[in-house]
Amino acid sequence: MSRALRAALLWPHTWMGVALGGLLIVIFFMGSLTVFMPEIDRWMMPATRVAVPEAPVSLDAVARPLLEQLTAQRATGGATVRDWLVEMPDARTPVLQLRVRTSAGAAGMMATATGRRLPPAGTLGASSFFYPLHYCLLLRPGFVGYWIVALAAVAMMAGLVSGVVIHARIFQDFFTFRPRAHPQRSLLDLHNLIGVLVLPFHLMITFSGVVIVLPVVFPAGTTLLYGGDMNRFYADAVATYDRPAAGVAVPLSPLDPLVERARQLWAAETGGPVAVAQIGVVHPGDAGAYVRVTRVNDDRVTLHNDPLYFDGITGVLLARGLPGPVVGAQRVIAGLHEVRFDHWTLRWLYFLQGLGGCALIATGLLYWLEKRRVRHGGRGWRVVAATACATTTGVVIATLAMLVANRLLPAALPSRELAEVAVFFLSWIGTALHAGLHLRRHPGPPWRAQAVLVGGLALTAMVANWITTADHPFHAWAAGHGAVLGVDAGLAVTALTAFFAAWRLARRAQGRRGKAWGPDRLAVVSTGLENG
């Protein structure tokens, strides 16, 4: 490829990284955490640290009485019940999750497989905070967050393709890393090395991320054919079933036989047992009630959960959700992105390569900052440097501060989950302010100070978990709480990595000072003083 083409692509490659690099780091970091979302949820919700049920849970004996209690609490003042939803326990989330939705609002609870209600979680956890922060930045109204994330994903794809063109010697870059060279050189080597190593994964993960939200960011079909009605579009695309309430009170038939029939239908097709993921009852207690049963996808890539619809009174199979070829392909691509299949080796590869994406973008930003520090060290440079600091070490500090708050905030604190969110964002803003104030007096961002803070917070979160729950490593191992032990191990590795990075930064700073005022430099100065 010509040098002119590489030079032409260097400008958009650089400035897309500078403008959207911080946002992409946040997206990649939160996406990496959500690979182990159920495990982080169990760490943040100690009440869910229960044994995995050995036998299938009876809906009629366990879940249905709880749903009826919750319905009696919510359906007051003339409110009508719209639906029930039960998420069945599994090895990673061993508790029942139940929800009742009425015309007056929704309510939910968690319970053990024996029917014991668990106290309110008091936290959003990874599933309701880190996960939506990854895919929509918590900006759901008007799909604004989805658009921003999709734009960043397209920019990432463009950056990856342009990076391949710019670095024409891609295989040579893979085997070239000079950690003891000048910071600019070593940063660029590391940027190239990571880019080549995880290039296929990053192309797949960014493309699949855009495909997941394609109906939102490319709404021509829903606008022209469905008048902007997204629900009707999804009903046709995924072949969902729906019917209105009849307005006649009729008792709901037993649910366990319907679940067993669903298992038999799936097993006849797959040749093996299939677990149930969710059971939804629409219009419970009405003659128009129907039951929706979906399967677990831990044995395959696709996210299509093969829903079966049964009449809630007679138990007759009404419909089966079978997507067309286009939607089926989209569900497979989405499954590649969300890694719901049961494969721990691939989960760890997803996690590490997601962090590799953070490192790829961060090294590119640091190279840009180091290259322009001497020539353009003005206000604009300081703004970019403070932003880079806040979106690298800063987002890690905010996440760890939220975990510490999760363990130390009183359980009876009103709106405890919102207090945790406030700690996250206040800590995040604090890292940006700290970096900005530091840069007014020093030539570089406060990497060392924030790395020490990362290590301190990681250790604090780990020890706070041991103290507040008594779930120290020996107890967690004996009780079979592998998820909790894994999160604690991750915190320990984070602390060690952060302290090592701070030590290396201190050594480099001492080396620079020693080089500036070593024997040769002192000899030159003393000679100048002797000569007047």
Side-chain angles (χ1 to χ4, degrees), residues 177-189 367 370-371 373-374 508 512 515:
F177 179 49
R178 291 157 283 189
R180 299 184 182 276
H182 188 274
Q184 287 186 36
R185 183 70 263 172
S186 58
L187 282 171
L188 186 59
D189 285 349
Y367 172 75
E370 187 68 21
K371 187 175 181 180
R373 180 170 60 87
V374 177
R508 183 179 286 273
R512 286 179 178 176
K515 185 176 181 180

Side-chain angles (χ1 to χ4, degrees), residues 8 12 41 102 155 170 202 214 223 228 269 299 317 341 383 420 474 482:
D41 275 346
T102 69
I170 189 168
H202 287 161
L214 197 61
T223 301
E269 297 175 353
D299 60 336
L317 180 64
F341 41 88
V383 170
E420 286 185 9
F474 297 106

Side-chain angles (χ1 to χ4, degrees), residues 50-58 89-91 94-95 112-114 263:
V50 298
V52 178
E54 298 179 356
V57 179
S58 171
D90 57 29
V95 295
T112 65
T114 59
R263 287 198 185 100

Side-chain angles (χ1 to χ4, degrees), residues 315-531:
V316 174
L317 180 64
L318 299 173
R320 183 171 186 176
L322 296 174
V326 174
V327 176
Q330 191 267 354
R331 294 284 80 194
V332 171
I333 295 172
L336 284 172
H337 187 95
E338 296 195 20
V339 63
R340 298 288 179 87
F341 41 88
D342 187 13
H343 199 297
W344 281 100
T345 302
L346 284 178
R347 284 196 188 115
W348 276 105
L349 286 175
Y350 268 64
F351 176 73
L352 294 174
Q353 291 181 104
L355 294 182
C358 299
L360 173 68
I361 302 161
T363 50
L365 276 173
L366 294 178
Y367 172 75
W368 185 91
L369 290 170
E370 187 68 21
K371 187 175 181 180
R372 287 159 177 77
R373 180 170 60 87
V374 177
R375 290 186 298 171
H376 308 288
R379 180 178 298 176
W381 181 89
R382 290 198 299 270
V383 170
V384 177
T387 304
C389 196
T391 53
T392 49
T393 53
V395 71
V396 180
I397 288 170
T399 302
L400 293 171
M402 185 176 184
L403 295 181
V404 172
N406 173 265
R407 294 289 82 239
L408 297 182
L409 288 175
L413 182 69
S415 301
R416 187 178 185 274
E417 62 277 7
L418 298 182
E420 286 185 9
V421 173
V423 168
F424 178 90
F425 284 109
L426 289 175
S427 302
W428 199 1
I429 294 170
T431 61
L433 294 176
H434 171 248
L437 293 174
H438 180 91
L439 286 164
R440 294 176 69 89
R441 299 181 179 180
H442 302 85
W447 302 117
R448 182 188 172 195
Q450 295 202 4
V452 171
L453 184 56
V454 167
L457 286 171
L459 287 180
T460 302
M462 183 175 61
V463 174
N465 174 54
W466 298 349
I467 295 173
T468 57
T469 66
D471 224 352
H472 51 78
F474 297 106
H475 179 270
W477 180 267
H481 296 167
V484 178
L485 190 59
V487 175
D488 280 343
L491 291 171
V493 171
T494 300
L496 291 174
T497 304
F499 287 140
F500 177 76
W503 175 74
R504 289 287 297 173
L505 289 169
R507 285 284 302 273
R508 183 179 286 273
Q510 290 175 0
R512 286 179 178 176
R513 287 194 295 268
K515 185 176 181 180
W517 296 101
D520 296 338
R521 177 61 174 163
L522 291 174
V524 172
V525 173
S526 61
T527 302
L529 292 174
E530 291 173 359
N531 295 332

Side-chain angles (χ1 to χ4, degrees), residues 69 90 101 147 208 212 219-220 238 241 247 308-309 333 351 356 400 404 411 437 458 461 472 506:
Q69 293 175 19
D90 57 29
R101 191 174 58 160
W147 279 90
S208 59
I212 289 173
V238 189
Y241 175 85
L308 298 171
Y309 299 88
I333 295 172
F351 176 73
L400 293 171
V404 172
L437 293 174
H472 51 78

